[in-house]
Amino acid sequence: MGPTGPTGPTGPTGPQGIPGSQGAQGATGATGATGATGATGTTGATGATGAAETITVRYTTTGEPGTAAEVRDVAGGPGHLLDFVIPRGHDGQQGPAGDLGPTGPAGTNGADGATGPTGPAGAAGEVGPTGPTGAAGANGADGATGPTGPTGAAGANGADGATGPTGPTGAAGANGADGATGPTGPTGPAGEVGPTGPTGATGATGPTGPAGTASGGLAAYGGLYNGSTQLLFFIAADQYITISLNTPMPTKNVIYPTTNSLTILEGGDYEINYNILLNTSRAVDVAVGVRRNGAMIQQTRGSQTLAVDDTTTLSYDGRLSCSTIVSLSANDTLDLAIAVLRTLPSGLDAIINGNANATLSVKKLNDSI
């Protein structure tokens, strides 16, 4: 074969062929360089004034913890009406306890409550140890001189003394005159009793003797008791205070000239009786006794350590009583007194209920009429 000849001239364009299917998109080309900034355009005309926007908050409510906060425009522009929903935070941990505040002032005492019914008597507690002997009280005033007692019987004759020595024999004197008749000799033994003689006629009735005096009953008596509940206010240990006895008992030759005391009008021997039932808020030793003209009658003084009330275990109680015989003078005045012994606890409450829980009585034992 020979060599290829030169290319001939381009022939005329043929008719367009049927379009082929679109090819795959080519890769994005590299970004071209930024063009130069164009010239600033002219300022446009001022627009018309728009309507003013207003904002009003209507409600603010608390949402549940963990929800999103919301702002709701319920009206739209220009008069916006907003409702806010703010979620509540989770409860925080409890903080430490604050310091104890100062004690407030004491309140005023309330009115006394009505007296409750007397509870049953508790079982007797064990007898406590005997307390030390108290100091001897002052000597009481001398009593009135008693009546002279009857003359005692004559004493027996003393033994004869020893016979003295015989004196010398004197000279015989002249015969004296006849002496007086000597005393009658002792009576001889009684003879046998003769037979009983016949009964004599009944004699006339003698005149009626004088009427005798009536006897029996007490010459003097009286007493006091407390008709209502009383509070006791002790000032110091071993210092006696008067127990209130505001209600009199029947009386004879005993008077009540002052409150809480009685006065004897006839001297003599008297039986003295007293009885009290005491309740306290603390365990204490107490002493009770009868005073005569302000001085304690020692044989009436009794003491006791109060025992815990076994019905409530919240208070202490004890009953003190006495029955003794004392010689009293006319115009002696008696009252009933009580004291806390040795130590007075701070804030002690003490109470004696009414009626038979505080009594004092006397009765004369001699010179009945």
Side-chain angles (χ1 to χ4, degrees), residues 273-294:
N273 295 278
Y274 70 75
N275 172 72
I276 73 163
L277 176 60
L278 176 67
N279 295 96
T280 63
S281 60
R282 305 279 294 278
V284 291
D285 297 331
V286 296
V288 177
V290 178
R291 296 185 295 194
R292 173 174 51 194
N293 305 323

PDB file of all heavy atoms in Angstrom, residues 273-294:
ATOM      1  N   ASN A 273     -55.910  16.186 167.977  1.00  0.00           N
ATOM      2  CA  ASN A 273     -55.813  15.347 166.785  1.00  0.00           C
ATOM      3  C   ASN A 273     -55.650  16.226 165.545  1.00  0.00           C
ATOM      4  O   ASN A 273     -56.296  17.283 165.443  1.00  0.00           O
ATOM      5  CB  ASN A 273     -57.088  14.497 166.607  1.00  0.00           C
ATOM      6  CG  ASN A 273     -57.271  13.492 167.722  1.00  0.00           C
ATOM      7  OD1 ASN A 273     -56.684  12.423 167.695  1.00  0.00           O
ATOM      8  ND2 ASN A 273     -58.078  13.833 168.713  1.00  0.00           N
ATOM      9  N   TYR A 274     -54.782  15.793 164.610  1.00  0.00           N
ATOM     10  CA  TYR A 274     -54.721  16.455 163.309  1.00  0.00           C
ATOM     11  C   TYR A 274     -54.451  15.415 162.224  1.00  0.00           C
ATOM     12  O   TYR A 274     -53.994  14.299 162.502  1.00  0.00           O
ATOM     13  CB  TYR A 274     -53.662  17.567 163.275  1.00  0.00           C
ATOM     14  CG  TYR A 274     -52.217  17.134 163.322  1.00  0.00           C
ATOM     15  CD1 TYR A 274     -51.588  16.577 162.201  1.00  0.00           C
ATOM     16  CD2 TYR A 274     -51.457  17.321 164.473  1.00  0.00           C
ATOM     17  CE1 TYR A 274     -50.265  16.194 162.250  1.00  0.00           C
ATOM     18  CE2 TYR A 274     -50.124  16.936 164.532  1.00  0.00           C
ATOM     19  CZ  TYR A 274     -49.536  16.367 163.418  1.00  0.00           C
ATOM     20  OH  TYR A 274     -48.219  15.993 163.452  1.00  0.00           O
ATOM     21  N   ASN A 275     -54.743  15.820 160.977  1.00  0.00           N
ATOM     22  CA  ASN A 275     -54.555  14.935 159.828  1.00  0.00           C
ATOM     23  C   ASN A 275     -54.382  15.790 158.578  1.00  0.00           C
ATOM     24  O   ASN A 275     -55.150  16.735 158.356  1.00  0.00           O
ATOM     25  CB  ASN A 275     -55.775  14.027 159.653  1.00  0.00           C
ATOM     26  CG  ASN A 275     -55.716  13.217 158.375  1.00  0.00           C
ATOM     27  OD1 ASN A 275     -54.931  12.298 158.255  1.00  0.00           O
ATOM     28  ND2 ASN A 275     -56.539  13.573 157.396  1.00  0.00           N
ATOM     29  N   ILE A 276     -53.357  15.512 157.764  1.00  0.00           N
ATOM     30  CA  ILE A 276     -53.212  16.179 156.471  1.00  0.00           C
ATOM     31  C   ILE A 276     -52.757  15.160 155.427  1.00  0.00           C
ATOM     32  O   ILE A 276     -52.065  14.192 155.753  1.00  0.00           O
ATOM     33  CB  ILE A 276     -52.218  17.373 156.488  1.00  0.00           C
ATOM     34  CG1 ILE A 276     -50.765  16.880 156.581  1.00  0.00           C
ATOM     35  CG2 ILE A 276     -52.537  18.362 157.562  1.00  0.00           C
ATOM     36  CD1 ILE A 276     -49.767  17.936 156.197  1.00  0.00           C
ATOM     37  N   LEU A 277     -53.168  15.381 154.148  1.00  0.00           N
ATOM     38  CA  LEU A 277     -52.667  14.622 152.997  1.00  0.00           C
ATOM     39  C   LEU A 277     -52.027  15.620 152.045  1.00  0.00           C
ATOM     40  O   LEU A 277     -52.706  16.490 151.506  1.00  0.00           O
ATOM     41  CB  LEU A 277     -53.791  13.866 152.295  1.00  0.00           C
ATOM     42  CG  LEU A 277     -53.372  13.106 151.021  1.00  0.00           C
ATOM     43  CD1 LEU A 277     -52.318  12.063 151.337  1.00  0.00           C
ATOM     44  CD2 LEU A 277     -54.573  12.444 150.366  1.00  0.00           C
ATOM     45  N   LEU A 278     -50.701  15.501 151.847  1.00  0.00           N
ATOM     46  CA  LEU A 278     -49.922  16.462 151.071  1.00  0.00           C
ATOM     47  C   LEU A 278     -49.463  15.843 149.761  1.00  0.00           C
ATOM     48  O   LEU A 278     -49.029  14.692 149.728  1.00  0.00           O
ATOM     49  CB  LEU A 278     -48.702  16.912 151.890  1.00  0.00           C
ATOM     50  CG  LEU A 278     -47.698  17.847 151.223  1.00  0.00           C
ATOM     51  CD1 LEU A 278     -48.338  19.205 150.955  1.00  0.00           C
ATOM     52  CD2 LEU A 278     -46.463  18.015 152.099  1.00  0.00           C
ATOM     53  N   ASN A 279     -49.566  16.614 148.646  1.00  0.00           N
ATOM     54  CA  ASN A 279     -49.029  16.213 147.340  1.00  0.00           C
ATOM     55  C   ASN A 279     -47.994  17.244 146.906  1.00  0.00           C
ATOM     56  O   ASN A 279     -48.223  18.458 147.018  1.00  0.00           O
ATOM     57  CB  ASN A 279     -50.136  16.141 146.285  1.00  0.00           C
ATOM     58  CG  ASN A 279     -51.156  15.056 146.588  1.00  0.00           C
ATOM     59  OD1 ASN A 279     -52.179  15.339 147.169  1.00  0.00           O
ATOM     60  ND2 ASN A 279     -50.885  13.828 146.207  1.00  0.00           N
ATOM     61  N   THR A 280     -46.830  16.778 146.369  1.00  0.00           N
ATOM     62  CA  THR A 280     -45.788  17.680 145.890  1.00  0.00           C
ATOM     63  C   THR A 280     -45.262  17.212 144.537  1.00  0.00           C
ATOM     64  O   THR A 280     -45.471  16.064 144.128  1.00  0.00           O
ATOM     65  CB  THR A 280     -44.606  17.761 146.878  1.00  0.00           C
ATOM     66  OG1 THR A 280     -43.995  16.468 146.976  1.00  0.00           O
ATOM     67  CG2 THR A 280     -45.060  18.219 148.248  1.00  0.00           C
ATOM     68  N   SER A 281     -44.540  18.127 143.846  1.00  0.00           N
ATOM     69  CA  SER A 281     -43.959  17.796 142.552  1.00  0.00           C
ATOM     70  C   SER A 281     -42.554  17.215 142.676  1.00  0.00           C
ATOM     71  O   SER A 281     -42.001  16.752 141.684  1.00  0.00           O
ATOM     72  CB  SER A 281     -43.906  19.063 141.681  1.00  0.00           C
ATOM     73  OG  SER A 281     -43.111  20.064 142.303  1.00  0.00           O
ATOM     74  N   ARG A 282     -41.963  17.261 143.872  1.00  0.00           N
ATOM     75  CA  ARG A 282     -40.608  16.751 144.076  1.00  0.00           C
ATOM     76  C   ARG A 282     -40.581  15.924 145.363  1.00  0.00           C
ATOM     77  O   ARG A 282     -41.412  16.098 146.256  1.00  0.00           O
ATOM     78  CB  ARG A 282     -39.607  17.923 144.207  1.00  0.00           C
ATOM     79  CG  ARG A 282     -39.647  18.904 143.034  1.00  0.00           C
ATOM     80  CD  ARG A 282     -38.852  18.379 141.850  1.00  0.00           C
ATOM     81  NE  ARG A 282     -37.443  18.300 142.145  1.00  0.00           N
ATOM     82  CZ  ARG A 282     -36.595  19.345 142.083  1.00  0.00           C
ATOM     83  NH1 ARG A 282     -37.044  20.544 141.728  1.00  0.00           N
ATOM     84  NH2 ARG A 282     -35.312  19.193 142.353  1.00  0.00           N
ATOM     85  N   ALA A 283     -39.601  15.023 145.479  1.00  0.00           N
ATOM     86  CA  ALA A 283     -39.430  14.248 146.700  1.00  0.00           C
ATOM     87  C   ALA A 283     -38.817  15.144 147.775  1.00  0.00           C
ATOM     88  O   ALA A 283     -37.719  15.682 147.586  1.00  0.00           O
ATOM     89  CB  ALA A 283     -38.534  13.037 146.443  1.00  0.00           C
ATOM     90  N   VAL A 284     -39.498  15.333 148.904  1.00  0.00           N
ATOM     91  CA  VAL A 284     -39.021  16.196 149.989  1.00  0.00           C
ATOM     92  C   VAL A 284     -39.334  15.551 151.331  1.00  0.00           C
ATOM     93  O   VAL A 284     -40.179  14.668 151.442  1.00  0.00           O
ATOM     94  CB  VAL A 284     -39.677  17.597 149.924  1.00  0.00           C
ATOM     95  CG1 VAL A 284     -39.187  18.383 148.721  1.00  0.00           C
ATOM     96  CG2 VAL A 284     -41.195  17.492 149.904  1.00  0.00           C
ATOM     97  N   ASP A 285     -38.615  16.010 152.375  1.00  0.00           N
ATOM     98  CA  ASP A 285     -38.929  15.671 153.759  1.00  0.00           C
ATOM     99  C   ASP A 285     -39.736  16.815 154.352  1.00  0.00           C
ATOM    100  O   ASP A 285     -39.351  17.985 154.218  1.00  0.00           O
ATOM    101  CB  ASP A 285     -37.646  15.477 154.575  1.00  0.00           C
ATOM    102  CG  ASP A 285     -36.818  14.305 154.055  1.00  0.00           C
ATOM    103  OD1 ASP A 285     -37.420  13.371 153.510  1.00  0.00           O
ATOM    104  OD2 ASP A 285     -35.586  14.343 154.190  1.00  0.00           O
ATOM    105  N   VAL A 286     -40.856  16.507 155.004  1.00  0.00           N
ATOM    106  CA  VAL A 286     -41.701  17.549 155.594  1.00  0.00           C
ATOM    107  C   VAL A 286     -41.965  17.220 157.055  1.00  0.00           C
ATOM    108  O   VAL A 286     -41.887  16.068 157.481  1.00  0.00           O
ATOM    109  CB  VAL A 286     -43.046  17.699 154.847  1.00  0.00           C
ATOM    110  CG1 VAL A 286     -42.811  18.160 153.418  1.00  0.00           C
ATOM    111  CG2 VAL A 286     -43.845  16.410 154.864  1.00  0.00           C
ATOM    112  N   ALA A 287     -42.277  18.269 157.845  1.00  0.00           N
ATOM    113  CA  ALA A 287     -42.662  18.117 159.246  1.00  0.00           C
ATOM    114  C   ALA A 287     -43.932  18.920 159.478  1.00  0.00           C
ATOM    115  O   ALA A 287     -44.106  20.002 158.923  1.00  0.00           O
ATOM    116  CB  ALA A 287     -41.546  18.596 160.169  1.00  0.00           C
ATOM    117  N   VAL A 288     -44.837  18.346 160.308  1.00  0.00           N
ATOM    118  CA  VAL A 288     -46.099  19.000 160.644  1.00  0.00           C
ATOM    119  C   VAL A 288     -46.265  18.951 162.152  1.00  0.00           C
ATOM    120  O   VAL A 288     -45.854  17.978 162.802  1.00  0.00           O
ATOM    121  CB  VAL A 288     -47.290  18.294 159.952  1.00  0.00           C
ATOM    122  CG1 VAL A 288     -48.608  18.934 160.361  1.00  0.00           C
ATOM    123  CG2 VAL A 288     -47.142  18.351 158.449  1.00  0.00           C
ATOM    124  N   GLY A 289     -46.877  19.987 162.748  1.00  0.00           N
ATOM    125  CA  GLY A 289     -47.139  19.987 164.175  1.00  0.00           C
ATOM    126  C   GLY A 289     -48.090  21.094 164.561  1.00  0.00           C
ATOM    127  O   GLY A 289     -48.422  21.977 163.763  1.00  0.00           O
ATOM    128  N   VAL A 290     -48.543  21.042 165.829  1.00  0.00           N
ATOM    129  CA  VAL A 290     -49.457  22.056 166.374  1.00  0.00           C
ATOM    130  C   VAL A 290     -48.637  23.055 167.184  1.00  0.00           C
ATOM    131  O   VAL A 290     -47.788  22.667 167.998  1.00  0.00           O
ATOM    132  CB  VAL A 290     -50.526  21.392 167.257  1.00  0.00           C
ATOM    133  CG1 VAL A 290     -51.446  22.447 167.861  1.00  0.00           C
ATOM    134  CG2 VAL A 290     -51.345  20.392 166.446  1.00  0.00           C
ATOM    135  N   ARG A 291     -48.900  24.346 166.945  1.00  0.00           N
ATOM    136  CA  ARG A 291     -48.229  25.403 167.703  1.00  0.00           C
ATOM    137  C   ARG A 291     -49.178  25.960 168.765  1.00  0.00           C
ATOM    138  O   ARG A 291     -50.368  26.146 168.504  1.00  0.00           O
ATOM    139  CB  ARG A 291     -47.767  26.521 166.772  1.00  0.00           C
ATOM    140  CG  ARG A 291     -46.720  26.078 165.766  1.00  0.00           C
ATOM    141  CD  ARG A 291     -46.185  27.216 164.930  1.00  0.00           C
ATOM    142  NE  ARG A 291     -47.214  27.799 164.082  1.00  0.00           N
ATOM    143  CZ  ARG A 291     -46.950  28.630 163.072  1.00  0.00           C
ATOM    144  NH1 ARG A 291     -45.699  28.951 162.790  1.00  0.00           N
ATOM    145  NH2 ARG A 291     -47.931  29.109 162.336  1.00  0.00           N
ATOM    146  N   ARG A 292     -48.631  26.210 169.962  1.00  0.00           N
ATOM    147  CA  ARG A 292     -49.393  26.854 171.038  1.00  0.00           C
ATOM    148  C   ARG A 292     -48.817  28.242 171.236  1.00  0.00           C
ATOM    149  O   ARG A 292     -47.643  28.393 171.571  1.00  0.00           O
ATOM    150  CB  ARG A 292     -49.295  26.039 172.333  1.00  0.00           C
ATOM    151  CG  ARG A 292     -49.921  26.753 173.547  1.00  0.00           C
ATOM    152  CD  ARG A 292     -49.941  25.877 174.780  1.00  0.00           C
ATOM    153  NE  ARG A 292     -48.641  25.304 175.068  1.00  0.00           N
ATOM    154  CZ  ARG A 292     -48.450  24.294 175.919  1.00  0.00           C
ATOM    155  NH1 ARG A 292     -49.474  23.750 176.542  1.00  0.00           N
ATOM    156  NH2 ARG A 292     -47.241  23.821 176.121  1.00  0.00           N
ATOM    157  N   ASN A 293     -49.635  29.246 170.964  1.00  0.00           N
ATOM    158  CA  ASN A 293     -49.202  30.646 171.082  1.00  0.00           C
ATOM    159  C   ASN A 293     -47.925  30.896 170.282  1.00  0.00           C
ATOM    160  O   ASN A 293     -47.023  31.603 170.711  1.00  0.00           O
ATOM    161  CB  ASN A 293     -49.006  31.028 172.551  1.00  0.00           C
ATOM    162  CG  ASN A 293     -50.241  30.757 173.398  1.00  0.00           C
ATOM    163  OD1 ASN A 293     -51.371  30.938 172.922  1.00  0.00           O
ATOM    164  ND2 ASN A 293     -50.063  30.330 174.642  1.00  0.00           N
ATOM    165  N   GLY A 294     -47.835  30.246 169.088  1.00  0.00           N
ATOM    166  CA  GLY A 294     -46.710  30.450 168.185  1.00  0.00           C
ATOM    167  C   GLY A 294     -45.541  29.519 168.388  1.00  0.00           C
ATOM    168  O   GLY A 294     -44.622  29.497 167.563  1.00  0.00           O
TER     169      GLY A 294
END
